[in-house]
Amino acid sequence: MLVSRRPVALALASAALLLAGCSSSDDSGAAGDADVAAAEAGDEERRPAPPATRVWDTSPSSVAAIGDSITRGFDTCSLLTDCPEASWATGTDAAVDSLAMQLLAGEGGGDITDRSWNLAESGATVADLPDQARQAAGHQPQLVTVLIGANDACAADLASMTDVADFEADFSDALRALRAESPDTQVYVSSVPDLMRLWREGSESMMARTVWQMANICPSMLSDPNDETDDATTRREAVRERVQEYNEVLERVCATDELCRYDGGAVFDYEFTTDHLSQWDWFHPGESGQRQLAALAYEQVAADQVR
């Protein structure tokens, strides 16, 4: 039986065209995919790389200190006198073993005076910190220490304490001032000491109570130290609460800067006794207190990660 070749040829031709069409469609899709991939690769190349995370240096080679009378070593060595050689931050007294001595003495010998600067001022409040920060930035230190706030709480009365919003604005200004001129400087921020604990410890001493009254030291917390009425208790608790609010500000603002470390409340939480206080005024740290502040600071600065 003879079979016509025309239908077969037509079928074969149709199949060939169909296959060709499928092949052409697949090639076009592959080319399209390749074009998209190339475009995406180009976008990746044009897209800016994320900024590199800056790593905390646990062994900075220079230190500047800003803050108040605690960092100046006031009343540590003698009455009514700054004693920067006994400062917890930059002191040179071996008995204190300051933060600067622990960090710098191993590098290039024991003399650290050309690599450390104490720019704190006795009586300073947080409002003075921006100017101190600018002075510190002029030295381009690898580390700046900050301890401020006690004088802001130690006012004549509750109404005279520094407002929390003002405290935050001034501390933020200080950090910005430092960053504007010294962007790579690391910052260690100490918490404000617990002034309520100071009253609890010192009020047991007749000498401390007498000195506080005669010298009018930190009246918002320490005036009438024997008074334990509800009004006196409420006053002291308000001062303690304000100090805690200052510490919350220090922690919050510091957390916005990747080269800033807050001490996590280590100084506020430390259970100091009268043995850590100056025997001249029973308020500022004595030699033992300065040594403890230095130890707490070194633990934070030399840690690989913030605790």
Side-chain angles (χ1 to χ4, degrees), residues 88-265:
W88 66 273
T90 59
T92 55
D93 187 342
V96 171
D97 197 19
S98 72
L99 174 63
M101 288 188 69
Q102 295 181 68
L103 292 173
L104 311 182
E107 278 194 35
D111 186 8
I112 63 171
T113 55
D114 61 340
R115 291 173 290 143
S116 60
W117 307 272
N118 192 324
L119 305 169
E121 301 174 16
S122 291
T125 64
V126 71
D128 300 302
L129 209 60
D131 283 341
Q132 292 184 23
R134 280 185 278 271
Q135 293 178 53
H139 295 284
Q140 295 290 298
Q142 290 195 7
L143 177 70
V144 165
T145 67
V146 181
L147 202 174
I148 197 74
N151 291 327
D152 293 274
C154 282
D157 50 42
L158 298 183
S160 301
M161 294 190 297
T162 300
D163 181 77
V164 176
D166 292 338
F167 188 93
E168 181 163 359
D170 287 328
F171 180 62
S172 298
D173 284 348
L175 198 54
R176 280 193 294 268
L178 177 66
R179 283 284 164 259
E181 299 181 45
S182 192
D184 296 324
T185 293
Q186 299 179 162
V187 182
Y188 163 74
V189 180
S190 168
S191 51
V192 185
D194 186 354
L195 299 176
M196 178 74 88
R197 183 173 182 84
L198 177 69
W199 168 75
R200 287 174 179 155
E201 291 293 314
S203 62
E204 300 295 320
S205 165
M206 183 175 67
M207 178 64 73
R209 296 195 303 269
T210 301
V211 171
W212 291 344
Q213 287 295 96
M214 291 181 62
N216 196 33
I217 295 174
C218 194
S220 58
M221 174 63 75
L222 302 179
S223 66
D224 301 318
N226 286 326
D227 187 354
E228 297 194 43
T229 62
D230 289 345
D231 286 346
T233 299
T234 299
R235 166 174 56 84
R236 296 185 190 111
E237 289 176 347
V239 176
R240 189 174 195 266
E241 181 178 355
R242 183 59 56 90
V243 168
Q244 290 174 308
E245 291 172 330
Y246 291 162
N247 285 334
E248 290 170 1
V249 166
L250 296 174
E251 181 176 21
R252 182 169 62 252
V253 174
C254 187
T256 66
D257 187 311
E258 64 181 349
L259 288 181
C260 184
R261 281 190 176 184
Y262 174 65
D263 76 354

